[in-house]
Amino acid sequence: MNFHCGKYTLNLNRPHVMGIVNVTPDSFSDGGQFVSTNLAVAHALKLIADGADILDIGGESTRPGAEPVSLDEELKRVIPVIEALHKVSSVPISIDTYKPEVMRLAIAAGADIVNDVRALQEEGALEVVSGSHVGLCLMHMQGTPQTMQSSPSYVDVVNEVKQFLTERLDTSLAYGIAKNRILLDPGFGFGKTRAHNIELIKHLDSIADIGQPLLVGLSRKSVLAAISGGDEDQRLYAGIAASVISAMKGAKILRVHDVKATVDALKVLIAIQQIEI
Ligand code: 7PM
């Protein structure tokens, strides 16, 4: 199963790791944008050294419950990072945004993948991606980042997520985006209770039946703490388990903060999958 994204083709026969690079607002008032850009680029290079197969650059606009980030602020955060990484990165660069203008300028700056938590539902987003050769991740979300965790509700969460992703896939295909450029993502934590998230992991294989490679993002999410009882930084161990289990259920890309730990854990699964009897 090959995934085409910009100048790269990834062979998804083994699980791949996408390392998260959050470009945070600059806390050094006199440091200008330079400081946060350099911190993000340095972190990205560390993730590549740790074994990341893809980098996901985000200006925090997609974070649940977070204050919306203005277009200008998001561009200021992410574009310099993509420009700098584009020159030195050995792996595809993904932009985590739902804003078509951020997508457009990120692609011009060298992004290889558009990772959209709104699955190209913003006006003009389908056109931006179909007019390029980048890869695409379509994610499911119920509600909006501001309200989605207040009372998530489904009759059948697996089938509703599946139906939504199938519809967004068909729409993307109709716009001329090739099948081998598209990833699907159930959107863990985006308008889902603990029970919904667990149900989705349990039936990930059913979502994989759509026929597109799946991306899974569970890293450091609250459902892990709800299960393990661990606090914020103890979510690591539960997250490793979640990534390995997701990969065993067919996830092809694991979106994580803790790249080295995840890469090492997945090596066990890869070694077992390589043995043919
Ligand atoms: C709080 C909760 C802060 C969650 C940040 C997050 C996903 C994503 C995000 C995902 C894809 C984070 C998330 N999550 N994109 N962007 N899939 N495709 O962990 O699950 O950074 S934001």
Side-chain angles (χ1 to χ4, degrees):
M1 193 184 257
N2 281 341
F3 171 55
H4 291 253
C5 49
K7 61 178 172 179
Y8 295 91
T9 299
L10 303 183
N11 180 339
L12 297 183
N13 290 342
R14 65 158 173 92
H16 281 54
V17 172
M18 170 185 264
I20 300 169
V21 181
N22 285 320
V23 191
T24 50
D26 202 336
S27 49
F28 306 89
S29 57
D30 59 348
Q33 207 56 40
F34 188 67
V35 179
S36 52
T37 300
N38 279 4
L39 284 173
V41 171
H43 185 62
L45 295 177
K46 161 81 162 64
L47 296 186
I48 294 175
D50 285 349
D53 299 296
I54 305 169
L55 297 170
D56 190 37
I57 316 300
E60 298 196 334
S61 75
T62 61
R63 282 175 156 251
E67 285 292 303
V69 176
S70 74
L71 171 63
D72 271 7
E73 175 62 23
E74 191 174 344
L75 289 171
K76 263 189 230 165
R77 291 185 196 176
V78 300
I79 300 300
V81 175
I82 295 170
E83 280 174 346
L85 281 176
H86 176 64
K87 295 177 194 156
V88 295
S89 177
S90 52
V91 304
I93 298 164
S94 160
I95 172 69
D96 185 355
T97 191
Y98 62 83
K99 297 190 181 98
E101 189 64 2
V102 176
M103 294 174 189
R104 192 177 68 78
L105 291 169
I107 292 167
D112 304 289
I113 300 170
V114 165
N115 171 26
D116 184 1
V117 300
R118 293 196 184 169
L120 302 188
Q121 292 179 102
E122 282 306 283
E123 177 93 49
L126 279 156
E127 288 83 354
V128 170
V129 174
S130 67
S132 77
H133 291 96
V134 298
L136 167 65
C137 180
L138 299 168
M139 198 195 81
H140 174 273
M141 166 164 56
Q142 183 179 83
T144 67
Q146 287 72 41
T147 61
M148 63 192 182
Q149 286 309 113
S150 56
S151 56
S153 152
Y154 302 84
V155 174
D156 179 342
V157 65
V158 174
N159 272 307
E160 284 170 54
V161 167
K162 210 171 158 175
Q163 269 188 30
F164 172 84
L165 292 176
T166 302
E167 186 277 312
R168 296 314 297 162
L169 169 65
D170 289 344
T171 301
S172 300
L173 294 171
Y175 268 76
I177 303 168
K179 221 180 172 74
N180 61 16
R181 291 169 55 193
I182 305 176
L183 308 167
L184 302 179
D185 181 344
F188 289 102
F190 287 83
K192 280 117 189 156
T193 63
R194 165 196 154 116
H196 295 141
N197 287 306
I198 292 171
E199 188 76 359
L200 283 166
I201 303 174
K202 183 171 176 178
H203 296 289
L204 210 56
D205 48 349
S206 161
I207 296 168
D209 284 346
I210 298 171
Q212 295 301 123
L214 299 188
L215 186 152
V216 160
L218 277 159
S219 185
R220 298 186 187 175
K221 286 187 180 172
S222 60
V223 61
L224 299 174
I227 294 169
S228 72
D231 64 19
E232 189 86 17
D233 49 80
Q234 287 176 327
R235 292 180 192 187
L236 171 64
Y237 309 128
I240 299 304
S243 282
V244 173
I245 293 163
S246 298
M248 289 178 73
K249 288 186 172 288
K252 298 299 183 192
I253 300 179
L254 293 313
R255 179 183 176 278
V256 301
H257 300 84
D258 305 288
V259 169
K260 196 166 189 339
T262 306
V263 166
D264 276 3
L266 286 172
K267 279 180 182 168
V268 179
L269 178 62
I270 292 165
I272 295 165
Q273 286 174 339
Q274 275 170 351
I275 298 171
E276 282 169 45
I277 302 170

